[in-house]
Each structure stands twice: as C-alpha cells, then as structure tokens.
Amino acid sequence: MPLKVINVSKRFGSTVALDGISFELNKRDEFFSLLGPSGCGKTTALRIIAGLLDPDEGKVFFEDEDLTYIPPEKRNFGYVFQNYALFPHMTVFENVAFGLKLRKLPQNEIRKRVKESLEMVGLTGLENRRPRQLSGGQQQRVAIARVLAIQPRLLLLDEPLSNLDAKLREKVRFELKDLQKRLGIPAVYVTHDQAEALVLSDRIAVMQNGKIVQIGSPSEIYRRPSTAYVADFIGISNFMKGKVVEYDSSSREVLVETDVGDLIKGYATQDLRKGEKVMLSIRPENIKVINSEKIAKEHNIIKVNVKRITFLGDSYDYRLDYSGWELRMKTLPDIILHEKQQIFVKLMDILVFRMEEGEKR
Amino acid sequence: MRAGKHSPDLLSIGVIILLGIYIFGPLYLMLLESVAEVWYRGRQWWFPQQVGIKWYEFIFRDPDIFRAIWLTFIIAVTVAGFTIALCMLPAYTVGTGKLKRLQEVLESMGSIPQTIPAVALGVGLLPIYHTLGLLYSFHGVVFAHSIGAIPYVFRNLVRGFNSIDPSLEDAARTLGAGWLTIIRKIYIPILKPYLAAAAVLAFAWSINEFVLTMLLGFPQITNIAVKVYQNAGGYYWSPHLAGSLSVILIIPSMIILFVIERMTGIKLQTV
C-alpha cells in the first residue's frame, strides 16, 4: 500500500479543518484526487501528508512506515504548489538542481538529472532564465521538473493548474496524467475543479467540511453520487422536491410524487420510507424532449415551460421552469425550441436522496 | 486649478528653492569652512579668499582625531551587524506571520526606541553600565547605539520577510532542506537588499550618534560627532576643524546610500 491516511484530524483554533479522514492509495501508480470547495480541508490534508503540518489525531503511513511525525525534508515526497513557489533568486537550472544539491550528488549527475527533468516537461533551453522571465505555464513546468528531479516516492499536487488559462489547463491536464503514468509515481491531487478531477483521477475523494463524503472512480462519483451534495458538486445536477409513494428496498426503485403531482420513478441512494420527503436529482443530459402529448400520462414525463435558450456551439442549454424549479436541459443543436413554449420532457436516470435536515432547496 | 493657472506652479517652485537653501545652505557653509585656509568673512561671506586641504591634513596627523574617525566606523559596522543579528528572529516571526499573537507586541516594541529621546535612554543606561562595568567601553557604546538602530533594522527586515512567499520555505523543505539551508540558500539571498538597507541605516544612525557616545563612551570612546562638538564650541572654537570633520562624517554615508540604492534598486525608507 503506497499511502495510507488513517483517521486524520486537524483543528486551527476553534475551526475544524479535518474531521477524521481516512483513505489509501491502492496501486503504485494511482492518481488520487481530493476534490471539494475551498475551505473543505483538502489542502490541509495534503500538507499533513507532506509533513508540513502535524495532525492533531491520526496517522500517515507510506509503504507501512509510520511517517506521521517525520519532517518533510526526510520524506522525499514531491510537492507542487498552487503558486509554484519557484525560488525567485535562482535560475531554472538552479531551481531544478536545488533538491539534487542537497542530496550531495556529483556535479555531472546533477546536470544529467536536471536535463532529463526539463526534457520531461518540455522546457529545454530555458535553464538560465529566472522564474519571473517565464510565463505562467512555463513556471508551472519548472515546478513539476523540480520535484521530478528528486525522483520522489509520491507526488503531491496542490491545484497546480489553477493559475493557467482555460485552454492551457485543458492541455496540461492530459500531459500531467501521461507523465505520472509513465513515471509510475503515485499522486495525490488537490482540486476544486470537478472537471479536472474527472479527467485526471483513477479515484476521487469528495470532501465537505473536513470530511470525505464519497470515494470512488470518476464514473461512480458522477453516476452514483452518494449524497445530493456530491451530485451538486460533480457536474451539473437539477434538483426538485417530492414525497415517497412507493419504495422497493430490494431493487431500490422508488416512486416519488412531485409537489405538482407528477409521478417520477428513480433510484434511491439510501433506504427510504413511504411518505418521506426526498430530493430528486437529474443531470441536464438526462432530460429528453417528448414530441407526443399522448404519453404525457406515463411516469417521468412532466410539463415544463422553456424559459431561456443558450447556444453553446456543440449543444443547446435550456432553462426550463417546472412550477418554480429551474431545470437545465442539454440537447444537441438539432432540436429547435422557442422561449415561452410549453413542452413535455422525459426524465431519466433519476437519483433520489433523503432530504437532509435543514435543507432548503 | 481654474484661476491663476501658473501661479501655484511658480509658488511651489519658489518654496522648493527656499527649502533647498534651507537644507543645503548650512552644508555649503560647512563644506567651505573645511577648505577655507584664509577667510575674512566681513569682506566676503560667500566664499573664502584662499582654499586648500590644510585642515584635512591636520585631522589625519592628529592621532586623537584619527582614532575617533577610526572608532566611528568600527563602531558603526559593529552596530549594523549586531543589530541585524538581534532583529533577525523577531523580524522573521513578525514578517512571516508565524506567531500572530506576538505580532502586534513585537511591532510596537520595534518602534519604541525611536520615541525615546537619546538623553533619556542614556540616563537610564548610566547606572546599569556603571554596575556592569560597561561605561567607557567599546561594546557599551555599541549596545547603546544598537538600541536606537533597532527600529530601522527591524522594519526593513520585517518588510523583507513580508515580501517572501511563505510557500518558498515549504517548497525548500519538501525538496529536502533543513532550516539552516533554508536560511542560507533561500532567506538570506532574497533578503539581501533589505539587509543592505538595514545595515546602511544602522550604520548611518551610529555614525551620527552623539548624545549616547558622549554620555556613555566619552572620554575613552569618542567618535567624529563628539569631536565635531568639541571643535565647534563645546571645548574650543575651531570651525574649520569642525567643518572638515563633518565632511568626513557625511561623505561615507552618502556614498554608501548611493551605492546601495544603485545596487539593490530599492529606495531606502527610514520609517
């Protein structure tokens, strides 16, 4: 087991940054993401893994060695910072060589490794530049080269792409994953960007208020979010309220009556009781326009008003009004609808969550 | 700005010229005194009849004055080094925001010496120095000067630490650096301009320090400022000697200031 984080907690004064999180990396080259909004504790978790922070409780193991109180300089983990943290008074070469000089490697070995690392990130020829003479993308590559040079046992990445522009970010995402797989170094990646997490990760841990709420592969997290929070955070989800009419605990199929009185069949994420108030969640791509009015009496078909239409290039984004609930629908550009038009839509792949206490939606 | 468009400009230029005379006039006269070999002021007050370097030769031939010059610079260099060493850790704590609770206390403590008149400080130090046997000693004078230099050094170092991205330390640690390496390879090189500014200000403070040197060092430890006072009416009346000593006092600080500003590109701030 490369990395094992057991029941780690951390407080800052009266705020609980981490509330007993546990996870482990399953394989040698796993790309694992901690995903959550700012303030959810994901960076704190990464800093504890790196040794830059001590946990109040819990343990961190790497290859069955207890690292909890080993200082960061003795861990040989590569940490890429959000702002890159390049040493401004050193050249690119000196930055990348920094960790190697500390390891007292011979000069020619240092030169060789710096060259290799810069090649890996596609940055040869800029060795004598200073960080401030580089673009954001180049600085980010130097930061990655600097940690690759020390041949780390584990890569820790704290939102390394967040300061790049959208197009570059997309490109670097794939490069980063290729590089990590090729080198076979396990990685823990921290991000608030769900699209980034979906593309890069083998598995994702979704965090909320210092806790991990779900761990799973990108498709599990997307298709079977365990709570409404996860459904809302990953991709776009539409929500509407209802009441349980029928529930089959073996198949987890549930029939829900919406506030308007439509009957909708969905999949329950946890056991439900008849009459219980629930939240329905539907992805925009799972709403389909129905042409015939005759089948309007079937389950999962509702009448909505088209509120707003936005052309997105490869698709249309529709804002639909369902008695006060706004639903977003994504369709290919081959369907033409008009604003204020009344249409029937079929809802598919609906997830039903128990209404959390205090939930206002 | 509507009415009398030109008058405010003329007025401000006039004021600036007056200010220039106000600041540089005495310096000009001091400079003249130092090179005047023959000067009948009643006949020609604006320039001496004969100029030369007689007084400078005199200064460097007098072992007593020469010793004062030498001491002035040695004390100043020591004060700069000692004060920087003294302020490093608290400045790090405040500048990097490591100890939030201590921050305000240290910040105001760093400014206190500036608000205390040197005479009061000297009077307070006298009995302490007497007990500790520091009176009339080199390091006694260094310690006393250092107190006054603290605000300048502390603020510049805090500003320096403030300018350093805290993640640099984290990055260095994860790459394998211990704290000694971090200080040597990360902090000191980045702090260089701020260290230079702190050193220059401490140096300038020390060479100009008169009251404490007089109270605690004199007569064993004297500096140029004390000698100037002696020659400018305190003991004898010798304006030429006082003038040339003043020039010796001013020139090094001006050169250092200029060089440092050129070297580091930062404007020295004394506040």
Side-chain angles (χ1 to χ4, degrees), chain B residues 37-234:
Chain B
E37 295 190 356
V38 181
W39 192 0
Y40 301 108
R41 263 164 272 245
R43 256 185 262 160
Q44 186 179 310
W45 65 266
W46 58 92
F47 205 79
Q49 278 84 3
Q50 192 189 323
V51 294
I53 55 162
K54 185 170 89 181
W55 302 110
Y56 290 96
E57 284 172 2
F58 183 83
I59 284 172
F60 285 99
R61 253 186 265 120
D62 181 338
D64 198 36
I65 296 182
F66 189 76
R67 182 167 172 271
I69 295 172
W70 170 245
L71 268 177
T72 302
F73 292 110
I74 290 299
I75 290 172
V77 169
T78 317
V79 166
F82 177 67
T83 316
I84 287 173
L86 212 59
C87 291
M88 208 64 172
L89 192 65
Y92 170 80
T93 310
V94 172
T96 54
K98 286 265 149 76
L99 279 172
K100 290 259 179 331
R101 251 172 281 168
L102 259 178
Q103 193 145 340
E104 267 177 47
V105 182
L106 279 173
E107 251 165 22
S108 46
M109 253 174 58
S111 314
I112 287 172
Q114 221 168 15
T115 63
I116 303 175
V119 174
L121 189 64
V123 168
L125 284 174
L126 261 173
I128 304 173
Y129 273 32
H130 187 78
T131 322
L132 296 175
L134 284 170
L135 226 44
Y136 322 126
S137 72
F138 176 82
H139 36 281
V141 171
V142 168
F143 295 151
H145 283 194
S146 189
I147 296 173
I150 283 173
Y152 306 107
V153 171
F154 184 69
R155 272 185 221 142
N156 271 288
L157 292 184
V158 165
R159 209 174 278 138
F161 280 115
N162 235 325
S163 75
I164 296 177
D165 172 4
S167 62
L168 294 187
E169 185 180 327
D170 292 339
R173 291 194 75 189
T174 54
L175 289 166
W179 63 271
L180 207 65
T181 315
I182 292 171
I183 291 172
R184 267 180 38 235
K185 302 278 174 167
I186 309 292
Y187 278 118
I188 290 186
I190 300 178
L191 281 178
K192 227 188 266 165
Y194 298 94
L195 283 168
V200 168
L201 291 169
F203 183 90
W205 165 266
S206 170
I207 62 172
N208 284 315
E209 170 44 50
F210 166 70
V211 174
L212 291 169
T213 322
M214 191 74 192
L215 271 175
L216 305 167
F218 188 77
Q220 270 88 335
I221 306 293
T222 51
N223 62 5
I224 302 176
V226 172
K227 282 283 169 203
V228 170
Y229 164 73
Q230 286 180 324
N231 285 291

Side-chain angles (χ1 to χ4, degrees), chain B residues 223-247:
Chain B
N223 62 5
I224 302 176
V226 172
K227 282 283 169 203
V228 170
Y229 164 73
Q230 286 180 324
N231 285 291
Y235 284 55
Y236 350 92
W237 171 242
S238 174
H240 304 302
L241 269 182
S244 43
L245 276 168
S246 302
V247 170

Side-chain angles (χ1 to χ4, degrees), chain A residues 161-355:
Chain A
L161 307 184
S162 63
N163 287 330
L164 303 180
D165 64 69
K167 211 154 189 178
L168 192 58
R169 194 156 58 215
E170 264 245 277
K171 181 172 162 249
V172 177
R173 256 180 220 165
F174 291 100
E175 286 178 7
L176 193 60
K177 180 154 190 180
D178 286 348
L179 192 63
Q180 183 262 344
K181 287 290 173 211
R182 202 167 65 209
L183 296 172
I185 306 171
V188 180
Y189 190 91
V190 158
T191 182
H192 67 274
D193 182 337
Q194 43 96 16
E196 208 165 279
L198 291 176
V199 170
L200 282 166
S201 318
D202 296 314
R203 282 188 311 143
I204 298 171
V206 183
M207 292 184 69
Q208 179 188 17
N209 298 333
K211 286 189 172 123
I212 292 179
V213 281
Q214 187 175 6
I215 298 183
S217 70
S219 68
E220 277 166 13
I221 299 263
Y222 190 82
R223 298 223 175 88
R224 288 278 174 266
S226 63
T227 66
Y229 169 83
V230 178
D232 195 23
F233 198 75
I234 310 283
I236 299 163
S237 290
N238 295 301
F239 291 99
M240 54 169 104
K241 254 192 327 200
K243 214 165 68 187
V244 176
V245 177
E246 270 174 46
Y247 174 63
D248 178 356
S249 59
S250 58
S251 68
R252 287 222 168 174
E253 263 190 1
V254 57
L255 192 67
V256 178
E257 188 185 353
T258 66
D259 290 356
V260 187
D262 290 313
L263 287 175
I264 290 169
K265 207 174 243 174
Y267 177 85
T269 53
Q270 61 260 83
D271 277 328
L272 299 169
R273 290 185 320 268
K274 210 170 152 179
E276 194 170 9
K277 285 205 169 149
V278 286
M279 191 66 90
L280 302 168
S281 131
I282 312 112
R283 297 281 184 197
E285 64 270 25
N286 292 333
I287 302 180
K288 293 278 181 275
V289 182
I290 302 296
N291 292 321
S292 147
E293 228 174 284
K294 284 176 201 152
I295 53 167
K297 290 287 164 243
E298 277 180 34
H299 289 155
N300 292 20
I301 290 180
I302 57 172
K303 192 162 81 176
V304 293
N305 279 310
V306 179
K307 247 176 29 184
R308 196 147 54 78
I309 305 171
T310 315
F311 180 57
L312 297 178
D314 58 348
S315 62
Y316 275 106
D317 178 77
Y318 292 95
R319 304 286 166 125
L320 309 173
D321 179 57
Y322 176 64
S323 71
W325 293 89
E326 189 186 75
L327 303 180
R328 286 178 72 174
M329 171 174 74
K330 197 177 160 184
T331 68
L332 297 174
D334 54 356
I335 300 172
I336 314 276
L337 296 172
H338 308 288
E339 285 183 12
K340 289 184 184 159
Q341 192 182 352
Q342 218 171 49
I343 54 164
F344 287 91
V345 291
K346 180 162 185 158
L347 311 176
M348 292 167 301
D349 278 336
I350 295 150
L351 293 175
V352 182
F353 301 103
R354 181 177 300 142
M355 197 89 108

